[in-house]
Each structure stands twice: as C-alpha cells, then as structure tokens.
C-alpha cells in the first residue's frame, strides 16, 4: 500500500495544467441543449405551445392529442441535435437521479426501421425500478412504479440522450420520489400566498417559490482519492492525522483559483450554460482545495432539478481533469465541511419579491406580512425543518464547531428586530389615527432605509434573513434540495393559510379595516415566535441551555431528528396541505433511517478493513524494523544498549499499546454492529448504530492518527492530509 500511495503522489504531481479558453459570450450558449420556449416556438404548433405554457403557469392538464404533438416536436428537435435515445429523468428516494435510456429507433411491421416517439412515451413510463427504496410502499410484486412527465421543468439533451424530468409514483398514487412532494408543496404555498398577496394587490394570480443554492465541494486529485479506501468508498476520511497547515491562515478563501481547477470550472460552466443552469459565481472556499459555485435564483422546482443535474455534470467533468469531486459534508476532519445554502423567497406573477421591502408603507406592510409569517412558520415547525436536513453525513457538519448549529434559530439583524419590537406594542383591536400614522410613517415606512444596513452579519445562523430572502444554511452539500424545500414551503403554506383565516375573521366579525386586522395578527405572531429569534453565534453550552429554556428542540443526530416526521402533528399538517399522506410520511422516514443505517454500517466495515489489513500490518512492520535496530545495538553495546536505544524502545512500546487498543476497539465495534444488525425494527436499529457503533469511529481514529505520527512516513499506507489538501 505505501507503494500505491507514493505512485499516486507522483501521478498527481505530474498532471498537466489545462488550457483555459473562456472567450465568447455565455448568453449565446444559454439553453442551447434545452427544449425551452425558443425551441418550442420552432418545433411545436401554436396550439401545443399554448397548452404547454398553460400547464407550466396555470397547472392545467395536457390531453393525449396535445401530448402527441409535443412529443413529435420534441423528437424532431432532439434528432436535429444528434440525440439517439430518450429517458424519463427522475429522483428516487436515494437522493440522486435515475434514468433508463430507450432508443428512438423502432421496427415497423413491414420490417423497415424508423425513429419513433409519441405522446404515450412522453407522458408516462413504467420503469422496472423495483430495487429503489420505497419504505414498504412497493412491497408486493404487482406494486408497479410509474414515471410521469413534469412539464414545468423543460426537457434537455445531455450527451446523446433527451432527458425528460418526471415524477415517480406507485401504482396506488403514493410518491416514490422527492419531486412529487415538492410539486405539491409548491402548489400549496402558491395557493396560500396568493390569497394573502391579494390583500395588497388584487392583480396577483400566482405566487412562485424561488431558490438559489450555493454548492460547496472539494476537488482532490483522482489518484489520491483512489489510493484511500475510505475516501473512495464512503466519501470521507475515516482516519487521518491533521495537517500542520490547514485553513488557519485563511489564505485559500477567495484566493487565486489554481489553473487546473480553473480549467475544470470553465468547462463546467460552459456545459451548465448549455443546459440552462444559470451559474454565475465561482470562488475558493475556506478549506484547502474547497470551492463553491452559485447560480442566479430560479423557480424552486427548476432550481432543484438544475442542482441535481449540476452534480452529475460536475462528476463527469472532474473525471476529465483527473479530479474527484467530493460532495460529502465532512470529507476531512479538522477543517470546514461543505454545505449547500438554500436561499428562498416568494415572488408574484406581477414581478414582486414578497420578501423585499418596497417604497411605500403598504408595500412594506406586505413585506412584513410574509416576513413575520415565515418566522412564525419556522418557530412552529422548527423540528420538521431540522429533520429535512438530517443525514448520516450531515451529522458530521451540523454543530461540529462550524456553521450552522443543529438548533434551529432565525437571525434577522438588530434593525429588523427593533421594527418587530415596535409592532409588538400595537394596540389590540382598532388603531387610533395617531397610532396608525406612527406605524405607517415611522415604523413600516422606514424599512427600506433600515435595510440598507447589512442584515447578514451573522454567518453562523441556521436560518438567516439576508435582505430580500431567507437563507437556510443547514442543507448538506450532497443533499437533494427538494427535501428542505418541500418542508419549508409546506410549513409556510400552512402558516399563511392560518394567517388569512385570522385576518378575515377580524375583518368580518370585529369590523376591523384590513390593515388594522393585519397589524393585530402580526402583533400576536411576533410575540409568540420570539423564542426562535437569536442574534448570537449558536455555539457553546450557554446557547444550548438558553435554547432548552426557550423550549427549542436540540436533536443532535439523524435518528433523533427524524422522529418528528411521523408525529400526529406532522400527519395533520401534510394531510391538510395535501403534500404527503400518512403512508408516504412513514415510508420517507423509514427510507431515511435505512440510509442512515447503511452509511454507518459501510463506514464501520471499511474502517475494520483499514485497521486489520493496513494499519496494524504497517505498525507491525515498523515495529520489526525497530526491533532489528535494537537487536543490532545490543550486539554492539551489550548490556548498556537499553540506554542507547531508549528512544526506539519507547516508540516500540507506544506502538504496541496502540496496536492492542485499536484491535480491541475494532473487535468491539464489529460485535456492536452484529448486535445492531440483529434488530428488526428500523428505529431501534438506527439508534443502535448511532449510539453503540458510531462512537467507536472516533476512538479508533484517535489511535490510528497517533500511529500515523509515530510510524516512519515510508511505512504509512494511506495518503496523508497534507498531501491531499495541498495538491493542485
């Protein structure tokens, strides 16, 4: 293995820098491989185009006749672009994407061949897909799964395949994917937010949720990753002593992008631009060899699809540049992990961002309405929001002395806090003319001026208001954004629904004017949601104690966090919003717990193999060299050799102690894993892996990392941190 390590190092150091050609306008390439409105104008009839646009913007259904027309136009465009196959591109509960390719090619009854693709193939497919996790929804042989076309996300060509974004549902209608619940949640928030927005503008007919994600990732030379069993199998290093230099000098953050990395980024951005992914920002992140890219925000469903597509494209292009792209939330201990900040807002079909202050008191009252309702929603359902970002890999990042902590709180900045404090003092019932004037002119009316100040000073808050949007920072780098976006839009939809009922009741039964009713309800929400607002950094025992006093949840790990999904309150919420039923919620929880178990199980097995097959043999080999040296000294110096060989004897003894301990702990870990595997209930098994298996990882790592420091460099089998993090 040491030979493999040194060969990998030599290979990585001999890489040639890429030729970077960034000439030309990106706008000329944008959407080249997307069946967007421009392409539809060329390849669809006017009738078909109108029906597709109606499906996208009004949610109307497309009949079979129109589906045939769309399929024919889509096929003609795809063939003109050199496509040979088509696929329904969907998002099973694995967290990744899935596809099965079929050729346009078909044989006619007379034996002749032609390219064939009709409305039936466009609208619905029945992939086998029986091995995808389903949480028991598909537990019989006849429980088929179907993919169904999502016209709100445009088809695109990747390589030589026409990819058609779809949902994936069971024969009985339950969602087997992450897209179907997201679409339902987006519909719910559209309906709820539109009703509230019409208090301020009767012309609003539709509200869409927007999402702008920030994708963090590591780029490590492919040969170095392949030289490490843990990185190549689990996505993270299970052992590894810290490098003397890490991120403490902050010299990587926003630094000059290395030429080879810039070549990767340049090609990635061009491919993304062709696929309609509006990537805009790229930079070095805090940790060595960590980077980030971010797009312009888009409608949430399309943005989720684009993020999943981006990750697929990143892996392929990274391979061309002899990189491995690491999406794991914590691939290296001791330096920052990777997140995927989700910047969320609501926009109307009239072009207004509902979370952006306006230029008049009425527009600012609209802003405050959606601002306060979002805070109230997060306060009421903070446990569900925490559950939406729970995973085995993200557990390493949340609360691991880096942003954000696992306790959900909201940061809004001192100025907006002062505004809410003013609103908290609003009189109950009708407002006096003086109070109404004071509120509108001196409190609500001054918000635009206040927001010129930066509302994003606290970079550690898990849920922060950043000027015209909320930023959900706990989302993990390799997660599907659909999960947190489904949760956030569902809880906001519920909150806005309740808000409208309360306001309407005050208008109808108490004869309050609309703005008075709005002020009255907002006042109560500000009071009852105060506990979720926190301006500190969220770390340390002090905040944990304060959070407990506020009765905020503190779910440290995934098995704890996921329990809320199947609570009575969760069932009622998702049923009322028509996002998921009880069967789907139970299935999603079971799938998530199952994934957690498998991740910890795989890591335990890999760690055991590394200990027995690599670490202990390397330690013993070095012991033998020391023994040979000591034996030689004894022959030369006789009885006094112990004094001469005191250092070697001390190292020999330390190595022996660590070998004994690491073997003992690894054996115990294997026994704990066997006991956990014997449990049938998925909840208990996940808790056993969390509480009884996972704690061994750090104990074993401590002994391994000490051995790495004790053993001569040429004997150590695994590529070291300093070698992986500082190779360019």
């Amino acid at each position: 293995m040491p030979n493999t390590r040194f060969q990998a190092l030599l290979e990585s150091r001999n890489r040639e820098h890429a030729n970077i050609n960034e000439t030309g306008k990106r706008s000329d390439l944008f959407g080249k491989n997307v069946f967007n409105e421009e392409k539809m104008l060329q390849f669809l009839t006017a009738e078909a185009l109108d029906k597709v646009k109606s499906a996208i913007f009004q949610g109307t259904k497309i009949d079979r006749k129109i589906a045939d027309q769309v399929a024919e136009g889509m096929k003609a465009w795809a063939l003109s672009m050199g496509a040979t196959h088509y696929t329904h591109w969907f998002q099973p509960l694995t967290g990744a994407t899935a596809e099965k390719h079929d050729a346009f090619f078909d044989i006619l009854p007379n034996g002749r061949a032609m390219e064939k693709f009709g409305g039936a193939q466009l609208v619905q497919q029945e992939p086998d897909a029986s091995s995808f996790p389903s949480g028991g929804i598909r537990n019989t042989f006849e429980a088929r799964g179907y993919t169904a076309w999502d016209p709100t996300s445009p088809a695109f060509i990747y390589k030589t395949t026409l990819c058609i974004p779809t949902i994936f549902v069971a024969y009985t209608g339950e969602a087997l994917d992450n897209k179907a619940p997201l679409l339902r949640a987006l519909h719910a928030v559209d309906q709820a937010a539109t009703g509230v927005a019409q208090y301020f503008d009767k012309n609003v007919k539709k509200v869409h949720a927007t999402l702008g994600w920030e994708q963090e990732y590591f780029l490590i030379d492919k040969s170095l990753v392949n030289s490490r069993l843990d990185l190549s199998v689990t996505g993270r290093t299970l052992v590894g002593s810290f490098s003397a230099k890490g991120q403490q000098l902050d010299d990587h953050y926003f630094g000059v992008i290395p030429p080879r990395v810039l070549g990767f980024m340049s090609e990635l951005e061009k491919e993304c631009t062709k696929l309609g992914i509006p990537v805009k920002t790229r930079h070095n992140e805090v940790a060595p060899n960590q980077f980030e890219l971010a797009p312009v925000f888009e409608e949430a469903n399309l943005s989720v699809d684009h993020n999943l597509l981006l990750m697929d494209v990143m892996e392929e292009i990274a391979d061309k540049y002899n990189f491995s792209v690491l999406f794991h939330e914590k691939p290296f201990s001791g330096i920052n992990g990777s997140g995927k900040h989700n910047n969320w807002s609501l926009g109307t079909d009239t072009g207004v961002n509902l979370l952006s202050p306006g230029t008049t008191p009425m527009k600012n009252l609209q802003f405050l309405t959606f601002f306060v309702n979002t805070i109230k929603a997060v306060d009421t359902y903070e446990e569900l929001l925490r559950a939406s970002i729970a995973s085995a890999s993200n557990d390493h990042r949340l609360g691991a002395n880096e942003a954000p902590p696992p306790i959900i709180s909201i940061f809004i900045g001192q100025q907006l806090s002062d505004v809410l404090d003013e609103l908290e003092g609003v009189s109950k019932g009708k407002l006096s003319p003086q109070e109404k004037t004071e509120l509108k002119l001196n409190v609500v009316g001054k918000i635009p001026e206040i927001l010129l100040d930066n509302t994003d000073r606290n970079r550690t808050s898990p849920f922060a208001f950043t000027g015209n949007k909320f930023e959900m920072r706990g989302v993990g780098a390799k997660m599907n954004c659909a999960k947190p976006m489904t949760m956030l839009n569902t809880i906001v939809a519920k909150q806005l629904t309740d808000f409208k009922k309360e306001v309407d009741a005050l208008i109808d039964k108490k004869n309050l004017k609309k703005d008075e009713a709005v002020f009255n309800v907002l006042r109560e929400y500000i009071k009852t949601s105060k506990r979720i607002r926190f301006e500190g950094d969220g770390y340390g025992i002090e905040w944990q104690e304060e959070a407990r006093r506020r009765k905020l949840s503190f779910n440290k790990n995934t098995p704890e966090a996921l329990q809320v999904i199947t609570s009575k309150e969760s069932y009622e919420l998702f049923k009322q919003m028509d996002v998921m039923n009880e069967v789907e919620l139970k299935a999603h929880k079971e799938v998530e717990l199952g994934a957690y178990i498998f991740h910890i199980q795989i890591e335990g097995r890999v760690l055991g193999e590394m200990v027995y097959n690599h670490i202990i043999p390397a330690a013993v080999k070095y012991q033998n060299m020391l023994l040979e040296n000591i034996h030689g000294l004894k022959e030369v110096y006789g009885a006094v050799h112990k004094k001469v060989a005191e250092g070697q004897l001390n190292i020999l003894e330390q190595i022996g102690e660590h070998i004994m301990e690491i073997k003992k702990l690894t054996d115990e870990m294997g026994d704990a894993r066997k006991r956990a595997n014997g449990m049938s209930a998925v909840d208990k098994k996940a808790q056993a892996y969390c509480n009884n298996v996972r704690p061994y990882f750090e104990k074993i790592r401590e002994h391994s990392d000490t051995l790495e420091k004790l053993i001569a460099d040429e004997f150590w089998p695994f590529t070291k941190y300093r070698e992986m993090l500082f190779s360019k």
Side-chain angles (χ1 to χ4, degrees), residues 607-658:
L607 183 55
E609 183 177 344
M610 293 174 77
V611 167
Y612 293 129
N613 295 350
H614 302 285
I615 296 171
I616 290 178
V620 170
K621 189 174 182 180
Y622 188 57
Q623 269 187 324
N624 289 336
M625 193 196 80
L626 289 173
L627 284 169
E628 187 177 336
N629 175 258
I630 293 166
H631 181 72
L633 290 172
K634 184 178 180 181
E635 288 184 352
V636 174
Y637 292 100
V640 298
H641 79 282
K642 288 185 179 180
K643 184 176 181 180
V644 180
E646 185 177 351
Q648 295 92 317
L649 287 166
N650 181 262
I651 294 173
L652 190 69
E653 186 176 345
Q654 288 185 63
I655 291 173
E657 289 173 357
H658 288 296

Side-chain angles (χ1 to χ4, degrees), residues 98-361:
E99 54 197 63
K100 182 186 76 171
H101 297 192
D102 286 300
F104 289 117
F105 174 84
D106 207 351
I107 298 293
L108 299 176
N110 61 8
R112 296 177 62 188
M114 69 174 295
E115 274 65 39
K116 191 175 180 182
F117 180 65
Q121 289 78 34
L122 169 64
V123 172
Q124 181 176 302
Q125 292 275 284
E126 186 184 339
D128 174 51
S130 57
S131 295
F132 286 122
S134 66
I137 291 177
R138 302 179 65 193
N139 57 3
T140 60
F141 68 91
E142 66 268 356
R144 299 185 294 274
Y146 295 95
T147 50
W149 176 35
D150 170 20
T152 64
S153 185
F156 57 91
I157 291 174
Y158 188 51
K159 298 180 182 175
T160 59
T161 302
L162 172 68
C163 300
I164 304 159
T166 60
I167 62 170
F168 182 41
V169 295
Y171 174 74
T172 48
E174 283 93 359
L176 293 168
D177 68 346
N178 290 300
K179 180 186 266 279
L182 174 63
L183 291 174
R184 296 171 191 162
L186 294 174
H187 178 68
V189 83
D190 170 22
Q191 289 190 311
T194 298
V196 174
Q198 286 176 349
Y199 283 145
F200 309 97
D201 183 357
K202 293 293 184 184
N203 294 316
V204 174
K205 303 300 180 188
K206 186 176 180 61
V207 172
H208 53 270
T210 61
L211 168 64
W213 37 263
E214 302 167 29
Q215 181 69 60
E216 294 178 338
Y217 61 98
F218 282 85
L219 280 180
I220 306 295
D221 190 273
K222 183 167 60 175
S223 63
L224 301 183
V225 171
N226 291 338
S227 72
R228 289 197 57 123
L229 177 64
D230 49 2
L231 256 185
S232 58
V233 175
T234 73
R236 77 178 183 103
T237 54
L238 299 173
V239 299
S241 180
F242 299 166
S243 171
K245 180 186 176 184
Q247 64 188 46
Q248 62 267 51
L249 297 179
D250 292 326
D251 54 343
H252 188 259
Y253 190 50
F254 277 38
V256 176
I257 299 172
R260 186 172 156 212
V261 173
L262 192 59
F264 158 80
M265 288 179 169
S266 178
E267 185 165 344
L268 172 65
E269 288 176 0
K270 285 181 182 177
E271 190 63 39
C272 286
T273 303
K274 293 177 187 176
L275 292 166
I277 306 172
V279 291
K280 185 175 179 69
T281 302
R282 66 190 186 198
H283 64 83
N284 290 3
E285 254 302 332
V286 174
N289 278 348
Q290 185 186 35
F291 307 94
E292 180 183 298
L293 65 81
V296 177
F297 71 88
E298 301 177 281
E299 184 276 326
N301 176 47
L302 180 59
S303 185
V304 168
D305 282 359
H306 279 167
N307 182 251
L308 290 167
L309 177 58
L310 168 97
M311 291 194 287
D312 289 340
V313 176
M314 284 178 76
E315 289 184 332
E316 179 176 338
I317 294 178
D319 191 61
K320 285 178 63 176
Y321 285 80
N322 291 300
F323 281 125
S324 286
V325 57
L326 305 181
F327 292 117
H328 194 287
E329 285 80 0
K330 196 74 173 178
F332 302 102
S333 182
I335 59 174
N336 279 11
S338 297
K340 180 152 48 190
H341 296 183
N342 277 204
N343 296 278
W344 171 89
S345 191
L346 295 171
T348 69
D349 57 350
T350 59
V352 175
N353 179 350
L354 294 171
L355 286 174
S356 183
T359 55
T360 67

Side-chain angles (χ1 to χ4, degrees), residues 422-673:
E422 292 269 6
L423 291 174
E424 193 177 341
V426 172
S427 299
K428 189 172 183 179
K430 292 187 178 181
L431 307 179
S432 68
Q434 295 85 357
E435 188 174 21
K436 189 178 286 190
T437 300
E438 170 69 17
L439 280 171
K440 288 188 174 180
L441 294 182
N442 296 325
V443 179
V444 177
K446 294 240 181 123
I447 289 176
E449 179 182 332
I450 288 170
L451 288 191
L452 290 175
D453 188 28
N454 185 11
T455 56
D456 189 26
R457 287 179 176 173
N458 188 330
R459 298 300 299 169
T460 66
S461 174
F463 200 89
F465 184 69
T466 55
N468 57 5
K469 61 190 181 301
F470 280 98
E471 184 174 2
M472 189 173 176
R473 296 190 178 126
V475 184
K478 73 175 185 176
M479 281 188 169
N480 184 338
C481 297
K483 291 192 284 187
M485 284 297 101
T486 296
M487 201 67 74
L488 180 57
N489 285 288
T490 299
I491 65 176
V492 171
K494 174 66 165 68
Q495 180 53 51
L496 290 171
T497 301
D498 293 346
F499 171 78
K500 190 172 188 306
K501 288 178 182 176
E502 293 184 54
V503 171
D504 288 347
L506 289 177
I507 294 171
D508 296 339
K509 297 177 182 178
K510 301 291 184 180
N511 294 319
L512 295 186
K513 292 184 178 179
K514 181 177 62 181
D515 53 355
E516 289 177 327
V518 169
F519 276 128
N520 271 257
V521 177
L522 292 182
R523 178 199 61 215
E524 294 305 311
Y525 287 174
I526 291 166
K527 288 179 180 178
T528 57
S529 64
K530 218 167 183 179
R531 66 168 190 160
I532 202 72
R533 286 160 41 200
F534 179 65
E535 304 297 302
D537 63 9
Y539 292 114
I541 300 299
E542 296 83 2
W543 166 233
Q544 293 177 20
E545 291 174 352
E546 172 66 12
R548 288 191 179 96
R549 188 187 67 76
R550 297 186 186 195
K551 296 183 179 178
L552 294 171
S553 65
F554 183 22
N555 295 319
K556 299 178 184 178
N557 55 62
T558 294
E560 286 180 11
L562 292 176
Q563 294 309 309
V564 69
I565 291 177
T566 51
S567 68
K568 181 181 177 182
E569 293 76 16
S570 296
Y571 288 150
E572 291 173 354
L573 165 70
F574 283 95
K575 181 180 179 182
Q576 183 182 343
M577 293 297 102
D578 198 24
V579 173
M580 282 193 279
N581 60 31
E582 189 172 329
V583 172
E584 290 170 322
L585 285 168
K586 286 180 177 177
H588 277 246
K589 176 187 171 184
E590 186 168 321
V591 168
E592 294 291 339
L593 286 172
Y596 179 88
I597 291 166
F598 288 133
H599 276 102
I600 306 299
Q601 184 185 77
I602 290 167
E603 287 185 352
R605 288 174 174 172
V606 169
L607 183 55
E609 183 177 344
M610 293 174 77
V611 167
Y612 293 129
N613 295 350
H614 302 285
I615 296 171
I616 290 178
V620 170
K621 189 174 182 180
Y622 188 57
Q623 269 187 324
N624 289 336
M625 193 196 80
L626 289 173
L627 284 169
E628 187 177 336
N629 175 258
I630 293 166
H631 181 72
L633 290 172
K634 184 178 180 181
E635 288 184 352
V636 174
Y637 292 100
V640 298
H641 79 282
K642 288 185 179 180
K643 184 176 181 180
V644 180
E646 185 177 351
Q648 295 92 317
L649 287 166
N650 181 262
I651 294 173
L652 190 69
E653 186 176 345
Q654 288 185 63
I655 291 173
E657 289 173 357
H658 288 296
I659 289 174
M660 181 175 65
E661 283 300 313
I662 203 171
K663 183 186 183 303
K664 174 175 168 288
L665 290 168
T666 305
D667 289 343
E668 290 175 0
M669 178 186 68
D671 292 338
R673 201 170 65 243

Side-chain angles (χ1 to χ4, degrees), residues 20-39:
I20 302 167
N21 180 13
E22 292 201 293
T23 58
K25 294 188 295 184
R26 292 290 169 87
S27 57
D28 293 338
L29 292 176
F30 188 70
K32 178 183 176 182
N33 294 343
V34 181
F35 195 61
N36 52 24
E37 187 172 349
E38 179 187 346
K39 311 300 190 314

